[in-house]
């Protein structure tokens, strides 16, 4: 890829067009994991429970275009709110670029391979369960940094 095509390195996140914005998503699916709030500390604690619409193998939403019809609480990430969402995974490309940081080497825009995120163990593949099968979230807390 030439330097002109590496938009994620040269274009401020606020100036990305729709296609570039969508391309930033690495397909990890970690933003679609349910989190619980610790009543004492206010800290968000991850579970291994994924949104019912998340394809837990690909890390992609199974109905991205209509997700709000099925999951009204789904947060629509935008250039306007990305700076204020503190629960995004530490590896999230949106979070990294909003902070002026580089994308990880396993991000497909960097390496050209959509499977690299899974090989790097940075996705939901292999350790999550759908909320439709999970039951009480309290029984699904995981010791995992997202």
């Amino acid at each position: 890829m030439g330097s002109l095509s590496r938009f994620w390195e040269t274009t401020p996140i606020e100036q990305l067009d729709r296609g570039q914005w969508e391309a930033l998503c690495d397909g990890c699916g970690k933003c679609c994991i349910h989190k619980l709030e610790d009543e004492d500390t206010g800290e968000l604690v991850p579970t291994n429970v994924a949104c019912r619409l998340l394809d837990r193998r690909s890390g992609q939403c199974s109905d991205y275009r209509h997700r709000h019809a099925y999951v009204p609480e789904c947060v629509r990430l935008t250039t306007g709110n990305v700076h204020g969402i503190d629960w995004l995974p530490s590896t999230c490309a949106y979070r990294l670029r909003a902070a002026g940081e580089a994308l990880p080497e396993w991000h497909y825009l960097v390496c050209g391979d959509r499977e690299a995120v899974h090989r790097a163990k940075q996705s939901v593949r292999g350790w999550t369960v759908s909320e439709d099968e999970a039951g009480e979230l309290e029984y699904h807390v995981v010791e995992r940094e997202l």
Side-chain angles (χ1 to χ4, degrees), residues 102-113 116-117 120:
L103 297 181
E105 62 187 31
W106 47 258
H107 193 289
Y108 82 96
L109 287 174
V110 176
C111 72
D113 181 2
V117 64

Side-chain angles (χ1 to χ4, degrees), residues 49-98:
V49 180
C51 172
R52 67 178 37 93
L53 292 180
L54 183 65
D55 177 325
R56 295 177 297 114
R57 176 142 181 81
S58 73
Q60 303 286 323
C61 183
S62 62
D63 195 354
Y64 184 72
R65 182 174 296 239
H66 303 106
R67 68 192 184 280
H68 290 100
Y70 301 104
V71 184
E73 65 273 14
C74 182
V75 173
R76 185 182 308 266
L77 194 60
T78 67
T79 57
N81 69 9
V82 67
H83 293 284
I85 299 178
D86 60 358
W87 51 259
L88 288 172
S90 61
T91 58
C92 175
Y94 296 108
R95 180 179 188 159
L96 292 170
R97 293 308 304 138

Side-chain angles (χ1 to χ4, degrees), residues 33-36 44-48 140-142 144-146:
I33 296 297
H34 288 281
K35 297 143 195 86
L36 296 174
L44 291 179
V45 180
T47 69
N48 69 341
H140 291 274
V141 171
V142 291
R144 177 185 279 277
E145 185 178 331
L146 295 184

Side-chain angles (χ1 to χ4, degrees), residues 34 49 129-140:
H34 288 281
V49 180
V129 62
S130 173
E131 66 184 325
D132 289 336
E133 303 162 1
E136 296 295 322
L137 291 180
E138 292 79 15
Y139 298 116
H140 291 274

